[in-house]
Amino acid sequence: MKRDVTRIFPCPTCGKPSILSAENSWRPFCSERCKMIDLGSWAAEDHKIAGEPAINQDEWDDQN
């Protein structure tokens, strides 16, 4: 028999407990506010994925 286990992890934005279940529509965040703060950080390029740029900015500027 399968047992449902409630998993609680810290919210990536504020660190408060966040329930990781279908009942929490903002998972892994604790609230919509924390989700939007994280989205804003990505949009402002505060968060980046390491690696080589996909496009050389100088070459892109020369073509346009």
Side-chain angles (χ1 to χ4, degrees), residues 42-59:
W42 281 101
E45 297 185 356
D46 294 335
H47 298 307
K48 297 179 184 177
I49 298 173
E52 295 295 319
I55 299 172
N56 183 329
Q57 189 65 42
D58 294 331
E59 291 176 13

Side-chain angles (χ1 to χ4, degrees), residues 19-56:
I19 298 172
L20 293 180
S21 73
E23 296 165 3
N24 178 2
S25 59
W26 304 295
R27 68 184 175 276
F29 304 97
C30 67
S31 66
E32 183 178 19
R33 179 180 179 272
C34 283
K35 183 177 179 179
M36 297 308 290
I37 289 170
D38 184 73
L39 178 61
S41 295
W42 281 101
E45 297 185 356
D46 294 335
H47 298 307
K48 297 179 184 177
I49 298 173
E52 295 295 319
I55 299 172
N56 183 329

